[in-house]
Structures are given as structure tokens and as C-alpha cells.
Amino acid sequence: MVGTPINGRTRQVFTVVNGGGLDLGPSSAPPSNAGSDYGVIEFTREDVEALLNEKAKRKDRFNYKERCENMMDYIKRLKVCIRYFQDLEMYYSLEQEKLKNSLELTQQKCIEIELLLKIKEEELNSIITEMRRNCTSLQEKLIKEESEKSVAVESLVKEREARLDIERSHSTLSEDLGRAQREIQSANQKIASLNDMYKRLQDYITSLQQYNGKLHSELSSVEDELKLVEKEKATVTENITMLRGQLTLSVSSQEEAIKQKDALATEVASLRGELQQVREERDRQLSQVQSLSSELEKFKESTQQSCTELDSLMLKASDLEAKCSLKDNQIKALEEQLATAEKKLQVSDISVYETRTEFEGQQKMVSELQKRLADAEYKLIEGEMLRKKLHNTILELKGNIRVFCRVRPLLPDESCSSEGKIFSYPTSMETSGRAIDLAQNGQKHSFTFDKVFTPEASQEEVFVEISQLVQSALDGYKVCIFAYGQTGSGKTYTMMGRPGHPDVKGLIPRSLEQIFQAKQSQQPQGWKYEMQVSMLEIYNEMIRDLISTNRSSSDVTRAENGTPGKQYTIKHDANGNTHVSDLTVVDVHSAREVAFLLNQAANSRSVGKTQMNEQSSRSHFVFTLRIYGVNESTDQQVQGVLNLIDLAGSERLSKSGSTGDRLKETQAINKSLSSLSDVIFALAKKEDHVPFRNSKLTYLLQPCLGGDSKTLMFVNISPDPSSVGESLCSLRFASRVNACEIGTPRRQTNGRSIESRSSYF
């Protein structure tokens, strides 16, 4: 019995729902009414595991009344346990809300403190930056003024040096001027003496010219005489010797006169050259005198200008000294202001340090509250996992069909309703993640399922919820998962995913990957598995093999035209297995082989275009994986089956606009889904006769709906406001399915059947 002492020791309270590993005593445990029938009872992990693993003691196998009473008592104890953990969950959820509220208050206080701290820091930073800016600007001004002062001092020194240089140059120039004046006087004296000499030379030249004229006249007279002599030569031949002598004398005197003339000419030329040199030297002296006089005038002007500039520089220097004294006073005042600002900064640093220490304390408190919140969330998650486990155990004991609801996102071409979203998801503790509300014409319809997936849920999140169910197939159970919903609601996307996008793989590829990974991980434990795959579709109430190698296009054409092709028959044996005759079964060893077969089946499946869906599935797709497992060390054998079914979508002819072959397909799909609805109604009412044979689909699903299989249905819903009527019908149908009891799942541990090449459910 739960809560009783064992071996003289009282069991410890279940630590998963206690904080920090402490025991839940009478003071810390929440008030619970779980012990209304059994008194106040507290459950531990060992109690729960013992309760789940408890086997009924059967004294008499055929005493059904005793077995029923034992089962009722067992279910009652399970309800007490579940109620206890629900109360515990509510208590800790309240504690979690309190912790969250206190955490929010402390976080708000921290945020306010941070805001105040930031405001103070910003103010202090602005004051500091402004003071620094003023200090830097004043320092720049000071540096600028000092540079200007140094430049002015340098210019003053340079001007003084220039003035001294000018004075020196003025003295040197005055000396040069005196020297030049003396040289001019001496040059004038030389010029006067040269003028006198020039006059004497001119007189001498005139006398020489006169003498030369005389000589010329004498020469002309001599020539005249020679002419007379030549004339008289013929007559005076006898006096020739005497005349020759006279002639030689006259020639020699003439040569001497010519020589004197040449000497006088050379002397005149030399005198002329000296006279030219004297003239040139006089001109040069005159030009030097003129240049020296002009330079003297320039020096006089420059000395006057430098004197005026020196006076202005002296005035500037006095002004700069006054400015420097004023700037020194300003710098002293600014230094005093800077000292006061630094004192204020020290005071603000102290206040900042105090606020920072207070903020760190608040942060520590927040971190502690966050840790406590994380612990509470962890305990809440473990409690939720335990609740799910107990809920699944109760469902398995009841034999109910599990139902998951998934709402697909709005497509880009679908407009949102003017009244807002038609779906809402309650967030209360009891229905969080399991409830959905639909609003139609102002009326609210509420539904609760085993799990509800919002449009934001990913393929991986959906698969995590069914992964344990898929694992059951490897453990030897029959598992059936099928997707139901109107056309365009996302059934094929949920089951198969989108081709060419590995990140959005559907349930079928992910289930196969998990099974083959589990197969590899269980090999060290001695397990060996063999797996077989078959795939079929029900099109217009006819079974078609999708992976048959002998399938021809003529068979497909005959099936589409309604003419019978190859006939497949469905048979059920005594063990609850369903056989489909002549159906192709392929041995597979890896997920890659199954993916290849899935692509082949997807290419062979019947699809068509309607007004509601661009690529609408026109048939029911059934994927079957048979699993045979043998443990060589324990000689244990298991035989499991995984059925994954993508049903064709229900549709209204007024909306789909189907005609011709599409009309026949729509009628066949709606007929088979209507037969499925009739079967669900009969199971819900627990009628004696269930019409499984009304369609191929229900007859094929008979072991899943009325046998010992673990069955889960995905109801896919479209958020399009124009499909709200079909969505409401789908949700109502799913609620009826969830209420159906089909029996307790049974693990198959027998060996492989003789008909190993025929597909069964």
C-alpha cells in the first residue's frame, strides 16, 4: 500500500517535486484532497514505480468480477496518485508564480536602480565631459596664447636684432658713404687732372695734325717736283746722277717723316685709349655714387619703417603681456573650478560605488530567485513528464485513441479574418498545450485533446511528442499513426515533409531514422532486427501497390478509368493481423533504402489539382514497417508493426470545383471518410456491430480502431477563415475519436509468422 512503512522505515517523500532535494514534511507539503478515500497520502518515486509496475494477483483466471474490482481499485489508486501530483503541481505553480512576481518586482527595482544609476552616470559624465571640454579648450587657448606670446617675444627679439643690425649697417653705410664721398672727391680731382691732361693732349694732337698737314703738303710738293723731274728727265738726262743723289736724299727724308708720322699715330692711339679708360672709370665712379646715394635713401627709409614697426611691436608686446596676465588669472580660476569638480567627482564616485554595491546585491538576489525559479521549472517539467506518463498509462488501460491537433500557418495568399484569429489556445495549468478554442459567428467552441500544436510548432517538436510511440513498435507493439483533415490542411506535410528540404522532414522519415538508430544502439545488448516495408494507396476504393516492380502505366490508367486492374484482398487472422494478398514487401537495412522507396511511392501516388489545393492527394496512403526482433542471449522474440497513414483530405464539391475524374475521386474519398466516421460513432456508442466492411479504408484500419494497437490520430486544421466550417467538423470528429475505447495494447512476443512475405497491420 502506498505511504505505508517498509521494513520499519517510512518512505521519503518524492524528491522530484520538492525544492533542493529537501523532503516534503507536513509543514512544506501542499494541502491535498488526494486522500479522500485513503486518508492523507504522500507518494514517493518508488511508490509511483511500484504502482505502475504492480501486477494484478489473479487467484482465479475466470473470476472477472474480482478482476474488475481489482482493476477498479487499481484505477482508483492511480487517480488518487494523479490527483496528488496535480495538487502538488498546482501548489508549485502558485509558488512559481509567487517567485516570478517577486522576481519581476526585484527586476523592476533593479531596472529602476539601473535607470537612476544610468541617469546619474550620464549627468556626471556630461558634467565631466563638459569640464574636460572647457579645460581642454582653455588649455588649448593657453597653449595658443603662450605660442603667440613666444612668437611675439621671438619677433620682438628678432626686431631688436634687426634694429641692431640696421644700426650697425647704418654706421657701416655712413662709413662707406664717407669713404665713397672721399673717393668721389679723389675721383673728381683725378677727373680734373685728366681733363687738363686731355686738353694738353688735344693741343698736342692739333699741333701734330698741323705738322702732319705740313708734311702732307710738303709731300705733295715733292711729288709735284718728281713729276716735274720726270718730265724734265728726258730733257735733263745728263744731270741724272746729280738728281738721283738728290732723289735718294729726299726719299730717305720722306721715310723718316713717315716713320715720325707712324710713331705720332701710335702715340695718339694710346692717348685715345687712356682717355677712353679714364672716361669709363669716371662713368663707373658716377654710377657707384648714384647707387650709394640710392642705397643711402633706402636705408634711411628702412630705418624709419623699422622704427615705426619697433614701436608697434612694443605696443603689441605690452598688450600680449596684459592678455597673458589676464589668461593666467582665468587659468587659476579654472584650476580652482577643476579642483571643485574633481571633489564632486570623487563624491559621485563614492555614491556610484554605493549604488553599484546595492545593484550587485540586487543582482545576487535576482540570480538566487532565478535559480529557485529554474529549480521550480525543472520540478514542474519532471512533474509534467510524470503526469504524461501516468496519463498515457491510464489511456493505455482505457484503450482510448490518442488525438493530436495541429494547426498549420496561414499561407501568403490567405487573408486574415477581419474579426481577428479564429483560433485561440487557453494557457491555464490544466489545459495548457492541450486545448484549442474556435470562434465562429461570435460563438466559441472549446476542444481538449492529448496535445495541440500551434502554427509556430516545428516538425521536430511534433516528432518529439510521438517518438516514444514509435519506439513502442521496436518493443513489439502494433502502432498506428494516421493524419486526418480537410484538403490543404497540411496532412502530407506532417507525415512526409517537403521534398528536398531535410530540415522539415515529416514524421515518416524521422520515425525511420529513430528506429534504425535504436536498432544500432541495441545491438550490443544482443538484439538483432529484421525489417520489411510495404506501401499501398486506396484510390477510388481500389488498392494499388506503390512499390511494385511489375506495375505498368496501363494498370494505372485502368485504375483511373475505373476498370479493375490487379485485385488485392484484405484478410484478418485470429491473432488480429491483417494480410493484403500479393502486396510487395521489401527487406530494408537502412533509412536510405526506405527513403528511396518513399520517393518511388510518392512519384507513383495519385495527386491532382483542385481549387482548394495545387497538389491535392487523391488517395489514402498507407506505409507499413514490420519489425522482427530476436535477442540471442535471452531467446526473447518481439514482433512489432508501425503503420503511418496519410488520409486523403475531405472536401466540399462547391469549394473544390471538381469535375470528371476529380469528381469521382472526391466522391470516393468522402465516402470512405464517411465510413470512417460511422465506425467512430459505433465505437463511441459501444454498439455490437461496427461497420468496418463499408469501405476498404475502415476494413484495413480495423486492427487499429478495434484491436490491441497503440493508435494516434493527427487532426490537421486550416486557419483560413473561409474553412472554419470544415475545421469545426474536423475538431468535432477528433473529439469523438478521442473518446473511443479500442482495448488495451498487447505486446507481441511470438515468433515470425509463416506468411512472412505478406503485409499485415
Side-chain angles (χ1 to χ4, degrees), residues 319-361:
D319 293 335
L320 287 172
E321 287 176 356
K323 285 182 181 179
C324 286
S325 62
L326 182 62
K327 294 296 180 183
D328 289 333
N329 295 328
Q330 289 180 357
I331 288 166
K332 287 179 182 179
L334 287 171
E335 284 177 352
E336 291 176 357
Q337 290 180 3
L338 186 61
T340 55
E342 285 177 352
K343 289 180 181 178
K344 289 181 181 179
L345 184 61
Q346 289 176 359
V347 173
S348 63
D349 287 337
I350 293 168
S351 62
V352 166
Y353 178 73
E354 291 176 355
T355 52
R356 188 169 292 170
T357 52
E358 185 180 355
F359 177 67
E360 288 176 356

Side-chain angles (χ1 to χ4, degrees), residues 293-478:
S293 60
S294 62
E295 285 179 0
L296 183 60
E297 292 293 331
K298 286 180 182 178
F299 278 124
K300 286 180 181 179
E301 292 175 359
S302 63
T303 50
Q304 291 177 359
Q305 189 176 0
S306 61
C307 289
T308 53
E309 287 179 357
L310 184 61
D311 295 333
S312 63
L313 286 173
M314 290 294 289
L315 293 173
K316 283 183 181 179
S318 61
D319 293 335
L320 287 172
E321 287 176 356
K323 285 182 181 179
C324 286
S325 62
L326 182 62
K327 294 296 180 183
D328 289 333
N329 295 328
Q330 289 180 357
I331 288 166
K332 287 179 182 179
L334 287 171
E335 284 177 352
E336 291 176 357
Q337 290 180 3
L338 186 61
T340 55
E342 285 177 352
K343 289 180 181 178
K344 289 181 181 179
L345 184 61
Q346 289 176 359
V347 173
S348 63
D349 287 337
I350 293 168
S351 62
V352 166
Y353 178 73
E354 291 176 355
T355 52
R356 188 169 292 170
T357 52
E358 185 180 355
F359 177 67
E360 288 176 356
Q362 294 290 336
Q363 276 187 336
K364 288 180 181 178
M365 188 183 296
V366 169
S367 62
E368 289 177 0
L369 289 172
Q370 285 177 347
K371 286 180 181 178
R372 291 175 63 186
L373 182 62
D375 293 336
E377 287 178 350
Y378 176 73
K379 291 167 188 172
L380 189 64
I381 290 168
E382 285 206 349
E384 180 67 18
M385 290 173 64
L386 184 61
R387 186 197 65 76
K388 284 184 180 179
K389 187 175 181 182
L390 293 171
H391 179 69
N392 291 334
T393 305
I394 291 173
L395 287 177
E396 289 177 2
L397 291 171
K398 285 184 178 180
N400 288 43
I401 299 175
R402 300 180 211 182
V403 176
F404 286 177
C405 176
R406 187 179 190 186
V407 183
R408 71 161 173 80
L410 276 170
L411 299 177
D413 56 347
E414 293 175 347
S415 61
C416 188
S417 175
S418 59
E419 300 178 357
K421 295 182 179 179
I422 61 175
F423 291 108
S424 60
Y425 310 95
T427 57
S428 62
M429 290 299 299
E430 296 180 357
T431 60
S432 178
R434 299 190 299 114
I436 183 172
D437 295 339
L438 184 144
Q440 183 187 26
N441 298 327
Q443 187 177 0
K444 182 179 177 182
H445 304 273
S446 300
F447 301 93
T448 303
F449 302 106
D450 296 287
K451 184 67 180 177
V452 174
F453 297 100
T454 61
E456 291 79 18
S458 63
Q459 295 280 67
E460 185 176 0
E461 293 174 0
V462 174
F463 177 72
V464 167
E465 292 293 330
I466 70 159
S467 58
Q468 294 300 321
L469 193 62
V470 173
Q471 183 66 31
S472 300
L474 207 63
D475 297 336
Y477 289 93
K478 293 180 183 177

Side-chain angles (χ1 to χ4, degrees), residues 540-744:
N540 288 347
E541 284 300 307
M542 289 184 293
I543 295 176
R544 295 167 60 183
D545 190 354
L546 294 178
I547 57 174
S548 174
T549 55
N550 298 324
R551 188 183 183 203
S552 61
S553 59
S554 59
D555 295 335
V556 179
T557 306
R558 284 199 300 270
E560 292 177 351
N561 294 332
T563 57
K566 189 174 183 179
Q567 296 296 319
Y568 298 91
T569 58
I570 303 171
K571 295 180 181 180
H572 304 293
D573 60 10
N575 295 324
N577 297 326
T578 299
H579 303 269
V580 180
S581 63
D582 298 328
L583 190 66
T584 303
V585 179
V586 180
D587 293 317
V588 292
H589 304 89
S590 65
R592 185 177 297 177
E593 295 179 6
V594 183
F596 175 76
L597 295 173
L598 280 172
N599 289 331
Q600 181 181 345
N603 294 328
S604 302
R605 191 180 177 187
S606 300
V607 293
K609 179 180 179 181
T610 66
Q611 292 181 3
M612 297 181 65
N613 195 356
E614 186 72 22
Q615 283 191 339
S616 176
S617 301
R618 314 307 295 167
S619 64
H620 307 300
F621 172 71
V622 181
F623 172 88
T624 303
L625 177 68
R626 295 184 296 169
I627 304 169
Y628 305 101
V630 178
N631 194 322
E632 296 178 349
S633 59
T634 61
D635 292 333
Q636 186 181 3
Q637 296 181 355
V638 294
Q639 181 176 320
V641 182
L642 177 63
N643 296 302
L644 301 170
I645 303 168
D646 178 18
L647 298 177
S650 61
E651 58 186 55
R652 294 184 181 180
L653 293 174
S654 59
K655 295 187 69 175
S656 65
S658 301
T659 57
D661 292 338
R662 297 288 173 267
L663 177 61
K664 294 179 182 178
E665 294 168 355
T666 303
Q667 291 172 347
I669 291 168
N670 290 339
K671 179 183 176 183
S672 60
L673 294 177
S674 178
S675 300
L676 179 62
S677 179
D678 294 338
V679 168
I680 296 298
F681 275 118
L683 289 172
K685 293 179 181 179
K686 297 184 179 179
E687 296 179 355
D688 296 333
H689 174 68
V690 181
F692 286 112
R693 291 180 177 270
N694 285 1
S695 72
K696 292 280 182 68
L697 175 65
T698 54
Y699 193 49
L700 194 65
L701 294 177
Q702 182 175 352
C704 305
L705 300 176
D708 54 359
S709 174
K710 289 187 177 183
T711 306
L712 184 143
M713 184 183 87
F714 268 96
V715 56
N716 292 85
I717 303 298
S718 171
D720 190 5
S722 62
S723 303
V724 65
E726 289 83 352
S727 300
L728 183 59
C729 292
S730 298
L731 290 171
R732 286 173 175 168
F733 177 73
S735 295
R736 296 190 189 100
V737 172
N738 203 13
C740 290
E741 297 180 2
I742 61 175
T744 306

